Amino acid sequence: MIILGINAYHGDASACVLRDGEIIAAAEEERFRRVKHWAGFPSEAIRYCLRVAGARLEDVTQVAVNQDGRANLLRKLGYVVTRRPDLGLLLDRVRNKAKRAGVDAELQAAFPGQRFTGTVQEVEHHLAHLASAYAVSPFDEAVAVSVDGFGDFASAGWGVGRGGAVEVEDRVYFPHSLGIFYQALTQYLGFPHYGDEYKVMGLAPYGKPSYVPQMRRLVRLLEGGGFELDLAYFRHATEKVDYEWEGGAPVVGTLYTPALIELLGPARAPEEPLEQRHRDIARSAQAMYEEAFFHLLSHLHARYKLDALCLAGGCAMNSVANGKVYARSPFRRLYVQAAAGDAGGAIGAALVAWQRSGGSARARMTHAYYGPEYSDAEIESAIQARKAEVESQQCLVSHFSDEKLLIERTARSIADGAVVGWFQGRMEWGPRALGNRSIVCDPRRADMKELLNAKIKRRESFRPFAPSVLREAVAEWFETDDDVPFMMQVYQIREAKCVQIPAVTHVDGSGRLQTVTRESNPRYYALIEAFRALTGVPMVLNTSFNENEPVVCRPEEALGCFLRTQMDVLVMGGWVVARGQTP
């Protein structure tokens, strides 16, 4: 049975395909469209997934979508009757729904000559999130929690996964949302783009939590673990907020009211410099999020009395909070899926559909390599197509058939201070580069952060870079010994080790680590192992292979990024392109 799962008409549109319950392929639409967080119908991701499965539309039994317009319908009607929101808000929602073609029509338009004869199954947004985390986790029994902005009129949902199945047992409903709280503060701090919340998370350690009393006016904690917003500070509950969820980059209008400015002072414009007040507000917003998050987790542990936790939803991308789960909650085991945000709902919806069809809804995810891959012959063609430009930049092109020699030469380049583009195997699922579409560097160099920003990234100086570390070395270098395969947790680096790896140590002594095993990624593991043999350090700096764009997908994009930046070495499969040096 072939099931296609999709996240459509929202940011991070995506698709996956299951064959008899096994994840065969998964990818976000942005990687093909080359627009960050691309929103709309994920036709190119679907095309890729079907190609990997060797299937046509007529072979697809079900299409599972991670939204269900009928979910929480009584709550929606009750809200309209009791709260009487602005008529423009209601009309806008109706128009948005009406102008969307049905899944059948979208598939027909995207795949002319093919015909979808299966069924479409809508899966409630937070149920899809819970399944996307629990059903692929290593736990037989676990508490599953989803927290985000909104989906199907709820901003959070939780339940218990047992025997492969999970259901939503309780929710936090619209208009109350930790995701909206964090997004509104992100906008207020001058980061206007969809998905900019990670910038606030990176800025927070530079500030002090001096605005927590004001934050507690924005978010109130409730008995039973819930929370609510003071809606005087937020527009979304009663006013029309502009949303664009189709055909490009998602756009969200201003979420906060003038009351927030009265409470915190003038909002920062994107072009204005960051002041200490902004850093303190960022730290306070993160502290308030954590306060509400751990308030919920503590109650759920007391209610269900289980030690394993699975997290999903956009807020599960808050790796700083995730890294404090063991310290600030009673949970002792944690799993966060590689695509914890809305993209991951495609896998969750597909697994729910598979289970409802009588299948076992377990598809353990021990790696995230579900995207496209390219042969050495395809990589060679991409290099040949830009041969003149490669030669004009005085680059030396080599091919290594001996993998051991390729690894040793690349590790030596990293140890010598080179910025290396590393393009291997199947592209990662989720927002993190995990060693197949990565830029890798020496974590020992105190100036590497500045070098990377000067050569390629050109991003805010307060944003940290992450370490990829051999799994067996975690306990020696970090205060928490744990599996973090998808770079979804931030842990403290041991104080004595910080001085050795300044390029991946944040201002507060933490690092957003990725643990690497030989089983999950043999070639990347071998690279880090070779670097350790040269330097004694069992990790490399790992950042996404891109330049203010989606992470590269094809060799053409990787080569293009190399040629328009000052990257020193590009390693694609067995091919090496090096600027003015022997690879």
Side-chain angles (χ1 to χ4, degrees):
M1 177 185 290
I2 292 178
I3 297 176
L4 186 66
I6 62 174
N7 168 47
Y9 306 120
H10 203 277
D12 300 316
S14 65
C16 75
V17 65
L18 306 186
R19 180 189 288 128
D20 297 333
E22 180 185 355
I23 303 170
I24 301 299
E28 293 108 319
E29 189 75 0
E30 69 162 28
R31 306 298 174 86
F32 305 100
R33 303 272 187 168
R34 309 309 300 160
V35 176
K36 277 190 173 183
H37 302 294
W38 197 91
F41 190 78
S43 57
E44 296 307 308
I46 292 172
R47 199 180 313 278
Y48 156 71
C49 288
L50 291 180
R51 185 169 64 250
V52 173
R56 292 169 57 86
L57 279 185
E58 45 264 40
D59 301 318
V60 176
T61 307
Q62 294 184 58
V63 173
V65 187
N66 67 332
Q67 60 180 15
D68 182 357
R70 299 161 298 181
N72 306 315
L73 186 57
L74 291 178
R75 283 273 181 171
K76 295 177 187 176
L77 295 174
Y79 182 81
V80 171
V81 171
T82 58
R83 300 301 296 268
R84 299 181 181 276
D86 177 74
L87 182 60
L89 171 64
L90 298 177
L91 292 175
D92 189 56
R93 297 290 174 89
V94 171
R95 279 194 296 267
N96 285 343
K97 292 281 187 182
K99 69 181 181 181
R100 294 176 184 170
V103 170
D104 300 64
E106 293 276 16
L107 289 171
Q108 202 63 54
F111 297 89
Q114 299 185 41
R115 187 182 176 196
F116 173 58
T117 58
T119 58
V120 176
Q121 185 158 167
E122 295 185 337
V123 177
E124 183 188 350
H125 182 82
H126 287 284
L127 175 58
H129 271 320
L130 297 189
S132 79
Y134 166 68
V136 302
S137 77
F139 308 136
D140 293 327
E141 191 174 42
V143 176
V145 181
S146 168
V147 183
D148 63 10
F150 287 114
D152 289 331
F153 210 69
S155 72
W158 52 85
V160 171
R162 291 189 177 97
V166 64
E167 293 294 338
V168 184
E169 296 185 19
D170 208 348
R171 301 168 179 83
V172 174
Y173 292 99
F174 184 94
H176 304 292
S177 167
L178 282 181
I180 291 294
F181 158 75
Y182 209 97
Q183 188 176 19
L185 267 295
T186 299
Q187 292 177 342
Y188 170 88
L189 286 168
F191 305 114
H193 299 116
Y194 182 86
D196 274 353
E197 288 84 352
Y198 67 96
K199 296 183 180 181
V200 174
M201 191 169 59
L203 180 64
Y206 291 88
K208 299 177 180 179
S210 53
Y211 286 82
V212 166
Q214 290 91 330
M215 296 298 158
R216 287 176 179 153
R217 293 178 61 178
L218 304 179
V219 181
R220 291 189 288 265
L221 308 186
L222 305 178
E223 292 185 11
F227 48 83
E228 66 179 17
L229 302 180
D230 185 332
L231 299 174
Y233 298 98
F234 302 92
R235 296 180 56 227
H236 68 283
T238 56
E239 299 180 44
K240 179 182 179 297
V241 176
D242 291 329
Y243 288 91
E244 294 180 19
W245 295 125
E246 295 184 62
V251 176
V252 179
T254 302
L255 290 164
Y256 58 87
T257 68
L260 188 67
I261 295 173
E262 293 178 15
L263 180 68
L264 299 177
R268 172 180 171 264
E271 67 278 4
E272 291 179 343
L274 284 164
E275 301 172 356
Q276 189 57 42
R277 179 175 70 91
H278 302 129
R279 299 180 182 94
D280 294 345
I281 290 172
R283 176 69 177 272
S284 302
Q286 177 67 24
M288 186 67 248
Y289 170 78
E290 292 176 10
E291 194 172 305
F293 178 62
F294 291 115
H295 172 71
L296 173 61
L297 293 192
S298 295
H299 279 80
L300 293 181
H301 188 274
R303 175 176 174 179
Y304 295 118
K305 295 178 172 57
L306 295 172
D307 288 339
L309 173 67
C310 299
L311 294 176
C315 291
M317 298 299 296
N318 194 312
S319 52
V320 172
N322 297 347
K324 298 176 182 178
V325 164
Y326 299 146
R328 295 186 56 181
S329 85
F331 289 101
R332 289 295 167 261
R333 293 180 295 165
L334 176 64
Y335 182 86
V336 189
Q337 196 241 113
D342 285 327
I347 279 180
L351 288 168
V352 170
W354 168 243
Q355 182 192 35
R356 289 174 177 172
S357 301
S360 171
R362 299 313 301 268
R364 298 191 192 278
M365 187 183 291
T366 58
H367 66 81
Y369 310 111
Y370 294 106
E373 63 181 331
Y374 299 88
S375 67
D376 268 14
E378 290 172 307
I379 292 168
E380 182 183 16
S381 294
I383 296 171
Q384 286 297 319
R386 300 187 71 171
K387 181 179 179 181
E389 193 173 352
V390 169
E391 291 177 347
S392 72
Q393 295 194 22
Q394 299 181 326
C395 297
L396 179 65
V397 179
S398 307
H399 184 265
F400 290 80
S401 56
D402 184 332
E403 180 172 330
K404 186 172 184 291
L405 184 57
L406 174 75
I407 295 294
E408 289 174 351
R409 294 287 182 89
T410 305
R412 169 55 64 188
S413 293
I414 296 169
D416 288 343
V419 175
V420 177
W422 181 253
F423 181 102
Q424 303 291 332
R426 296 186 72 175
M427 183 180 70
E428 298 89 341
W429 163 246
R432 309 289 190 223
L434 300 170
N436 279 6
R437 301 290 187 275
S438 292
I439 294 172
V440 290
C441 307
D442 189 343
R444 301 171 303 160
R445 290 189 57 158
D447 63 344
M448 185 53 72
K449 182 175 175 180
E450 289 72 26
L451 279 172
L452 263 173
N453 279 328
K455 286 175 177 284
I456 302 167
K457 290 294 188 172
R458 298 180 177 86
R459 67 189 199 182
E460 295 90 347
S461 62
F462 58 81
R463 289 166 54 190
F465 289 102
S468 292
V469 56
L470 300 181
R471 175 63 186 92
E472 63 270 22
V474 172
E476 180 186 355
W477 289 77
F478 290 83
E479 293 183 2
T480 304
D481 185 13
D482 196 18
D483 294 312
V484 192
F486 307 130
M487 207 182 279
M488 290 294 189
Q489 286 105 283
V490 169
Y491 289 142
Q492 290 298 120
I493 298 168
R494 292 192 180 278
E495 187 174 357
K497 297 290 188 181
C498 289
V499 67
Q500 297 183 52
I501 49 171
V504 294
T505 301
H506 203 19
V507 65
D508 59 355
S510 68
R512 192 187 69 198
L513 70 160
Q514 173 204 1
T515 56
V516 182
T517 65
R518 195 186 305 274
E519 295 74 23
S520 65
N521 194 329
R523 184 170 279 196
Y524 193 42
Y525 183 94
L527 177 65
I528 302 172
E529 196 172 39
F531 182 79
R532 176 174 62 178
L534 291 170
T535 66
V537 175
M539 69 186 75
V540 293
L541 182 156
N542 169 20
T543 187
S544 56
F545 198 148
N546 61 352
E547 182 205 19
N548 296 314
E549 59 177 333
V551 176
V552 298
C553 175
R554 304 181 303 137
E556 291 83 357
E557 293 147 11
L559 182 59
C561 183
F562 172 82
L563 290 172
R564 69 176 178 267
T565 65
Q566 299 177 53
M567 198 181 303
D568 300 302
V569 180
L570 172 61
V571 184
M572 295 194 290
W575 287 94
V576 177
V577 184
R579 279 196 168 90
Q581 58 182 287
T582 302

